[in-house]
Amino acid sequence: MFSLTLPRMRGAVLLPATLVLLTALAACKKDPPPLPDPPKTVKVITVAPVEIAVANQFPGRLAAYRKAEVRARVAGIVTDRLYQEGQEVRAGSALFKIDPAALQATLEMRKAAFRQAQATLDMNADKARRYGALAKADAISRIDYAEALAVEAQAKAQVEEAKAAQRSAALELSYATVRSPIAGRARRALVTEGALVGQDSATPLTTIEQIDPIYVNFSQPAAVVAQMRKAIRAGELQGLAKQDIPVRLTLGDGSLYPTAGKLIFSDLAIDPATETIAMRAVIPNPKHILLPGGYVRVGLEQALNKSAILIPRDALLRTVDSAKVMVVDADNTVRAVAVTADTLHGDRWLVSAGLNGGEKVIVANVAKIEAGAKVTPQEQSGSGAIAKTEAKTETEAAATKVAHVAQIEGR
């Protein structure tokens, strides 16, 4: 019995020992260290100074280039309206008809008075001629002849008075047809047929407005003007002459009006109530898209910044009290650079401090890149260094956005 159970006990002892040995050998083996991750590929642009227009936006109101209030100049009953409300009319076009019967009768009376005065003049002139001949023959006294001449002169004056009264009556009769004083668009009628007008005052009938071109009135803060002048004196900006300043409008729906206008007026005084300077521009309006009284945003390109740094919106990381961009150095190491970028120029940020040009700025997935990381920079397709000629074209589209400072020196 003992000889049969001994091998089993020996096997039972050897099996756990073998397992312990194998476990120890496995623990002695070390895994190879993991391979480092390859550097991330990041999109970058190489920033470069460009020339841009320094622009600013102000709220403005459109106003008619010419506006005439059409009023009744004679008293009477309106018998007809001769235009369609809202239509284009020419200067001198008939708008309303006032009953001319009373005016026609007055004219006939003035004509009769003129003929009567003329007859009296003829009689007195003949008498003066006859008295002149008699006076030469000493047949009448000099006093009688002088009186005859005075009566003739009075008759001449009465003829002139009657002639003027006749012209006045004819003029008033012509006012029975109310005509447009200017060319433009006729607005709604303020009276209807059958209304009595001009009885005690010149009754308003309608309004004619010329809206091609059209004015836009706006105001510029005096502080912005001072800031612009200071920058020009310091050489930071190059001023533009008033006749070279383009004026662009952004309509109420946010769209850009296609045609630029010109600045024609800048007040020389500051409104003490608002601390602003009144300004006016004239805008071509051949299709009558712009209407008087409409609200617009007025964009002025008043100076040039010849060393502006622009970066895409997505390149900027902004916090509550700071802003920064991620820059790739020459050794492909990422570095955070604090910048000042408070102004949008089109779809780009205008960097006023922090970048000098030549830096490679990361423009995509910036928040996922940490400072100190190694990366592989890849120039963004279609960007590279922003060319100056490219920036001038971009400026035209950006002129209506919120921009820098306003007004130029010496205006």
Side-chain angles (χ1 to χ4, degrees):
M1 292 292 292
F2 180 79
S3 60
L4 293 175
T5 60
L6 183 61
R8 291 181 182 179
M9 293 176 62
R10 188 176 298 171
V13 174
L14 290 176
L15 182 58
T18 303
L19 292 175
V20 171
L21 180 61
L22 292 176
T23 303
L25 291 175
C28 293
K29 293 183 179 180
K30 294 183 179 179
D31 294 332
L35 296 176
D37 294 333
K40 292 182 179 180
T41 300
V42 294
K43 300 282 187 180
V44 299
I45 63 167
T46 303
V47 298
V50 295
E51 179 180 303
I52 65 171
V54 178
N56 206 347
Q57 277 203 339
F58 311 99
R61 287 286 176 185
L62 299 169
Y65 187 72
R66 287 179 181 155
K67 181 177 180 180
E69 291 186 355
V70 181
R71 295 174 177 264
R73 304 176 70 177
V74 293
I77 302 296
V78 176
T79 59
D80 198 7
R81 174 165 59 86
L82 305 176
Y83 76 99
Q84 295 295 323
E85 294 174 319
Q87 80 172 72
E88 293 291 327
V89 297
R90 296 180 179 180
S93 298
L95 302 177
F96 293 90
K97 190 74 173 178
I98 297 175
D99 185 5
L103 301 172
Q104 183 67 49
T106 301
L107 177 59
E108 296 301 328
M109 291 172 58
R110 301 304 183 203
K111 288 181 178 180
F114 171 72
R115 289 193 295 267
Q116 182 179 358
Q118 186 66 51
T120 301
L121 173 61
D122 293 342
M123 181 183 66
N124 290 321
D126 180 66
K127 182 179 179 179
R129 283 193 300 272
R130 288 187 287 106
Y131 272 36
L134 293 173
K136 289 180 181 180
D138 293 328
I140 62 172
S141 66
R142 294 292 179 180
I143 295 177
D144 291 338
Y145 179 55
E147 289 178 352
L149 291 177
V151 172
E152 181 187 15
Q154 291 176 354
K156 287 182 179 179
Q158 290 173 354
V159 168
E160 294 300 323
E161 182 181 359
K163 186 185 297 184
Q166 179 180 331
R167 288 198 301 267
S168 177
L171 188 60
E172 289 188 350
L173 179 61
S174 69
Y175 292 158
T177 301
V178 182
R179 300 183 181 276
S180 173
I182 62 172
R185 177 174 292 182
R187 298 183 63 180
R188 67 182 180 90
L190 302 178
V191 298
T192 61
E193 293 84 347
L196 175 63
V197 297
Q199 185 65 37
D200 299 318
S201 61
T203 307
L205 302 179
T206 188
T207 301
I208 308 298
E209 293 180 334
Q210 180 180 338
I211 59 175
D212 180 28
I214 193 169
Y215 286 134
V216 58
N217 299 316
F218 57 99
S219 296
Q220 189 174 32
V224 177
V225 176
Q227 185 180 1
M228 172 70 76
R229 291 177 176 175
K230 180 180 178 181
I232 292 174
R233 286 195 297 268
E236 299 173 3
L237 301 176
Q238 177 183 333
L240 296 176
K242 184 171 72 173
Q243 63 271 17
D244 297 330
I245 296 176
V247 179
R248 303 180 188 278
L249 302 184
T250 302
L251 305 182
D253 61 357
S255 62
L256 181 65
Y257 185 70
T259 308
K262 293 183 178 180
L263 183 67
I264 61 171
F265 170 74
S266 178
D267 205 347
L268 300 178
I270 298 174
D271 185 346
T274 60
E275 285 295 319
T276 59
I277 297 175
M279 308 184 80
R280 169 176 279 185
V282 61
I283 312 293
N285 190 29
K287 296 183 179 180
H288 295 177
I289 296 174
L290 306 175
L291 298 177
Y295 171 83
V296 293
R297 297 287 298 177
V298 183
L300 295 183
E301 298 177 4
Q302 297 177 291
L304 295 177
N305 185 345
K306 294 191 173 183
S307 57
I309 301 294
L310 300 175
I311 61 172
R313 288 187 181 185
D314 294 341
L316 188 69
L317 291 174
R318 189 178 294 279
T319 62
V320 176
D321 55 357
S322 65
K324 64 181 180 180
V325 295
M326 308 303 285
V327 173
V328 180
D329 289 334
D331 60 351
N332 293 343
T333 301
V334 177
R335 174 170 55 93
V337 176
V339 297
T340 301
D342 300 325
T343 303
L344 274 174
H345 187 85
D347 60 348
R348 296 173 181 267
W349 285 107
L350 174 62
V351 178
S352 56
L355 298 178
N356 299 315
E359 296 92 343
K360 293 183 178 180
V361 177
I362 300 176
V363 297
N365 299 320
V366 182
K368 298 180 179 180
I369 308 299
E370 296 182 356
K374 290 289 186 178
V375 295
T376 301
Q378 180 181 1
E379 197 75 24
Q380 182 170 279
S381 176
S383 62
I386 305 175
K388 291 189 176 183
T389 55
E390 203 175 55
K392 293 190 78 173
T393 302
E394 180 187 1
T395 297
E396 295 184 357
T400 60
K401 305 295 181 182
V402 177
H404 212 36
V405 287
Q407 190 57 323
I408 61 174
E409 185 175 18
R411 296 296 175 260

